[in-house]
Amino acid sequence: PVSVVPGQWDKIKLHVRLNTPGQANGVVRLWINDQLKVQYENLSIRESTPYGMNKLNLSSYSNPPATSNVTLVRFSNNS
């Protein structure tokens, strides 16, 4: 689990390597504040299509609900 601290910035880094079509060799890794939290390997993300990714949806979930509706997100591509 990852705790969110109000007023503190969190760094989220996502690495996705699409599989070769027809092979289960894809990879997904997720770091939060430089700590590896998720690692999946040998994935079949796409079947026969040569297409790549064209969208990433990020959303937030809070339980209990957040008391503020102010959200600030900064995205950067540091590939």
Side-chain angles (χ1 to χ4, degrees), residues 3-5 7 11-12 15 17 19 28 38 45 50 55 58 62 68-71:
S3 297
V4 175
V5 178
K11 178 181 173 183
I12 299 171
H15 168 80
R17 185 180 72 209
N19 62 298
V28 173
V38 174
I45 299 169
K55 183 188 292 187
L58 296 175
S62 177
S68 170
N69 60 3
V70 176
T71 303

Side-chain angles (χ1 to χ4, degrees), residues 3-48:
S3 297
V4 175
V5 178
Q8 174 182 306
W9 284 92
D10 291 297
K11 178 181 173 183
I12 299 171
K13 180 179 177 181
L14 176 66
H15 168 80
V16 177
R17 185 180 72 209
L18 295 176
N19 62 298
T20 304
Q23 297 182 29
N25 60 0
V27 174
V28 173
R29 293 185 182 108
L30 174 70
W31 290 264
I32 298 178
N33 296 325
D34 296 317
Q35 293 184 351
L36 183 63
K37 296 292 185 177
V38 174
Q39 180 168 313
Y40 296 110
E41 297 180 348
N42 304 317
L43 296 175
S44 181
I45 299 169
R46 56 186 177 170
E47 293 180 9
S48 60

